[in-house]
C-alpha cells in the first residue's frame, strides 16, 4: 500500500483531495457552511455583513477525500482600502481552487451583489457548483426559479439547495464534492481542521463578539490582534489582545458605560476560547485608538491580506 492509498478492507481505494473555494455575496452564509462541514468552528459568523476579512481554510474529511474549504470574504462593491483587499483576497481564493462553490442567500436571491458575482464568474475557468443556502427561509417554487435564473447566467456542474444552519442538504453536497475532487495525497495531517494559528483564531473570536455586541460603524472600524500568549504552570493560559479602533469616540463605545461593553465581550470571548483550547483562559482586552489602522500595511499583514496600493 502506498501513502496515496487507504485500506478499506474489501479493496484498496486511492485517496482524493483538493481545494474548494466558497464565494458569494457578504452574509450568504459561507462561514456558517464551512463550520458545519468541518464540524467545528473555524471561521467566525455574524448577522452583520463583511464579517470574514481574509481567507480561512477549514479542512474536512469525507470518505477517503480531504476537502480543504476556503472561506472567503464576501464580495461586494468596495469603498475603503480594507474592502478592496477583502474582495481581491476572495477572488484570489477562487484562482487557487480546484472547484468553486457559489453560495447564494435564497432569501435575497440575485438582488445586488449576487448578480455581479455571476457575471464575473463567467470568466473563471474552474468547474462551478451552485449552492442555494437558507432554504429554511423560502418557498420551494421560489428556489426553483432562482436556480433556473442562476443556471441561465453561468454554466454550473450541479445545483444544491441547503440550509447551512440546520444542515439540510449538506450531506448530498459533501458526497458530491468528495467524488468530484482529483485523486491525490491529502494536503494536511488527518486531525488538522484549520490553517489558522490559535492566536489568530482567538483574536477572531473576540472580533466576532464585538460584531455581535456593538452596532453601526464600530465593528467595521475595529480590528483585533493577540499580543501575548502565556501558558501558565497551573494549566491555564493568559491571553492579551488589543482592539484597535479609529477614534476616541469609538473607544468610548467599545468600553461602554462603566466598562460594561468590554466586560461582556471579554466574558463571551473567554468562554469560547477556553472551550476550544480545553483549558482555563485569562483574557485581557485593551482598546487602543490608532487613527489610520485601515491604511496601515502592518495591520493588513496581520490579517493575512495583501495591502492594496
Ligand atoms: N436562516 C438561515 N440563516 C443562515 C443560514 N446560513 C447562515 N445563516 C445566517 O446568516 C448570517 C450570515 O452568516 P455568515 O456565515 O457569517 O455569512 P458569510 O457569507 O460568511 O458572511 P461574510 O463573512 O460577511 O461574507 C448569520 O446570521 C447566519 O446565522 C441558513 O441556512 N439559514
Ligand atoms: Mg464569513
Amino acid at each position: 500500500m502506498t501513502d496515496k492509498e487507504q485500506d478499506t478492507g474489501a479493496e484498496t481505494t486511492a485517496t482524493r483531495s483538493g481545494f474548494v473555494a466558497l464565494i458569494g455575496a457578504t452574509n450568504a452564509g459561507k462561514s456558517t457552511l464551512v463550520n458545519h462541514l468541518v464540524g467545528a468552528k473555524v471561521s467566525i459568523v455574524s448577522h452583520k455583513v463583511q464579517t470574514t476579512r481574509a481567507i480561512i481554510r477549514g479542512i474536512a474529511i469525507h470518505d477517503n477525500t480531504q476537502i480543504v474549504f476556503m472561506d472567503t470574504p464576501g464580495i461586494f462593491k468596495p469603498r475603503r482600502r480594507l474592502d478592496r483587499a477583502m474582495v481581491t483576497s476572495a477572488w484570489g481564493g477562487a484562482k487557487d481552487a480546484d472547484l468553486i462553490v457559489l453560495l447564494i442567500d435564497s432569501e435575497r436571491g440575485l438582488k445586488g451583489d449576487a448578480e455581479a458575482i455571476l457575471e464575473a464568474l463567467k470568466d473563471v475557468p474552474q468547474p462551478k457548483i451552485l449552492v442555494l443556502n437558507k432554504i429554511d427561509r423560502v418557498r420551494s417554487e421560489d428556489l426553483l426559479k432562482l436556480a433556473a435564473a442562476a443556471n441561465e447566467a453561468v454554466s454550473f456542474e450541479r445545483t444544491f439547495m441547503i440550509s447551512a444552519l440546520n444542515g439540510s442538504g449538506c450531506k448530498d453536497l459533501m458526497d458530491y464534492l468528495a467524488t468530484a475532487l482529483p485523486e491525490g495525497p491529502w494536503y494536511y495531517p488527518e486531525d488538522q481542521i484549520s490553517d489558522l494559528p490559535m492566536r489568530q483564531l482567538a483574536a477572531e473570536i473576540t472580533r466576532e463578539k464585538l460584531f455581535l455586541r456593538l452596532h453601526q460603524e464600530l465593528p467595521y472600524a475595529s480590528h483585533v490582534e493577540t499580543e501575548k500568549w502565556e501558558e501558565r504552570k497551573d494549566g491555564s493560559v493568559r491571553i492579551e489582545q488589543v482592539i484597535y479602533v479609529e477614534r476616541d469616540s469609538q473607544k468610548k463605545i467599545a468600553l461602554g458605560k462603566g466598562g460594561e461593553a468590554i466586560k461582556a465581550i471579554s466574558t463571551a470571548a473567554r468562554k469560547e476560547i477556553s472551550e476550544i483550547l480545553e483549558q482555563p483562559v485569562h483574557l485581557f482586552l485593551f482598546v487602543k485608538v490608532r487613527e489610520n489602522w485601515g491604511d496601515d500595511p502592518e495591520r493588513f499583514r496581520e490579517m493575512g491580506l495583501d495591502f492594496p496600493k
Side-chain angles (χ1 to χ4, degrees):
M1 200 166 71
T2 71
D3 60 358
K4 273 194 176 186
E5 294 167 338
Q6 280 189 331
D7 193 353
T8 58
E11 60 185 29
T12 310
T13 321
T15 55
R16 293 174 178 275
S17 59
F19 289 80
V20 175
L22 282 180
I23 64 161
T26 176
N27 216 39
K30 300 175 294 296
S31 302
T32 308
L33 180 61
V34 168
N35 291 338
H36 181 80
L37 298 179
V38 169
K41 178 142 160 189
V42 294
S43 192
I44 63 169
V45 167
S46 90
H47 55 288
K48 291 196 170 65
V49 296
Q50 296 158 36
T51 303
T52 306
R53 286 185 176 162
I55 292 178
I56 306 229
R57 296 196 176 130
I59 306 156
I61 291 169
H62 193 70
D63 300 330
N64 54 338
T65 310
Q66 186 175 59
I67 311 173
V68 185
F69 290 100
M70 293 194 275
D71 183 17
T72 65
I75 294 167
F76 57 100
K77 267 206 203 84
R79 286 175 298 137
R80 303 164 301 171
R81 193 192 292 265
L82 177 59
D83 299 344
R84 269 190 283 144
M86 284 159 58
V87 172
T88 306
S89 141
W91 284 115
K95 259 204 317 265
D96 297 335
D98 295 287
L99 275 176
I100 313 278
V101 168
L102 171 66
L103 204 66
I104 294 183
D105 174 345
S106 359
E107 205 175 23
R108 292 204 67 203
L110 297 186
K111 281 188 279 273
D113 296 313
E115 197 161 26
I117 298 170
L118 276 173
E119 193 51 43
L121 260 187
K122 287 181 183 161
D123 300 326
V124 173
Q126 293 98 322
K128 295 171 270 288
I129 319 294
L130 175 66
V131 172
L132 303 184
N133 188 32
K134 308 197 188 180
I135 60 167
D136 52 295
R137 300 282 282 267
V138 287
R139 296 180 314 173
S140 48
E141 308 94 88
D142 296 337
L143 276 177
L144 293 175
K145 273 189 213 145
L146 178 57
N151 274 283
E152 210 164 284
V154 170
S155 144
F156 289 103
E157 307 289 315
R158 290 284 290 266
T159 299
F160 293 89
M161 299 178 187
I162 67 156
S163 168
L165 202 60
N166 68 25
S168 88
C170 289
K171 177 157 187 313
D172 287 348
L173 173 63
M174 279 296 258
D175 286 344
Y176 175 81
L177 295 175
T179 51
L181 289 173
E183 279 187 18
W186 290 357
Y187 289 96
Y188 294 93
E190 196 176 337
D191 54 359
Q192 190 169 342
I193 56 168
S194 163
D195 71 336
L196 205 60
M198 221 23 248
R199 287 173 72 106
Q200 227 168 314
L201 180 60
E204 283 288 274
I205 287 169
T206 301
R207 194 164 67 78
E208 180 189 79
K209 305 311 170 203
L210 217 129
F211 261 63
L212 295 175
R213 164 97 197 187
L214 300 174
H215 301 291
Q216 282 143 12
E217 92 278 26
L218 201 102
Y220 305 103
S222 57
H223 162 61
V224 182
E225 282 180 26
T226 300
E227 298 242 305
K228 272 203 190 128
W229 187 287
E230 190 194 348
E231 300 284 343
R232 303 213 304 198
K233 283 205 187 79
D234 63 4
S236 67
V237 55
R238 180 192 160 95
I239 303 171
E240 291 181 20
Q241 293 178 332
V242 177
I243 300 173
Y244 290 104
V245 294
E246 289 168 331
R247 285 192 296 277
D248 215 39
S249 57
Q250 294 167 339
K251 179 173 173 172
K252 284 204 186 83
I253 301 171
L255 295 172
K257 246 195 212 130
E260 194 186 12
I262 194 84
K263 246 183 254 161
I265 291 166
S266 173
T267 305
R270 176 174 49 76
K271 192 164 166 284
E272 195 168 317
I273 297 167
S274 170
E275 274 166 20
I276 294 175
L277 293 175
E278 296 178 336
Q279 68 188 120
V281 167
H282 309 278
L283 178 64
F284 297 87
L285 298 181
F286 304 92
V287 183
K288 283 190 192 164
V289 179
R290 185 166 292 180
E291 262 172 37
N292 293 320
W293 73 257
D295 291 309
D296 176 358
E298 179 63 19
R299 305 276 79 74
F300 282 63
R301 203 177 53 76
E302 274 282 337
M303 282 184 248
L305 291 172
D306 286 335
F307 184 71
K309 293 283 174 314

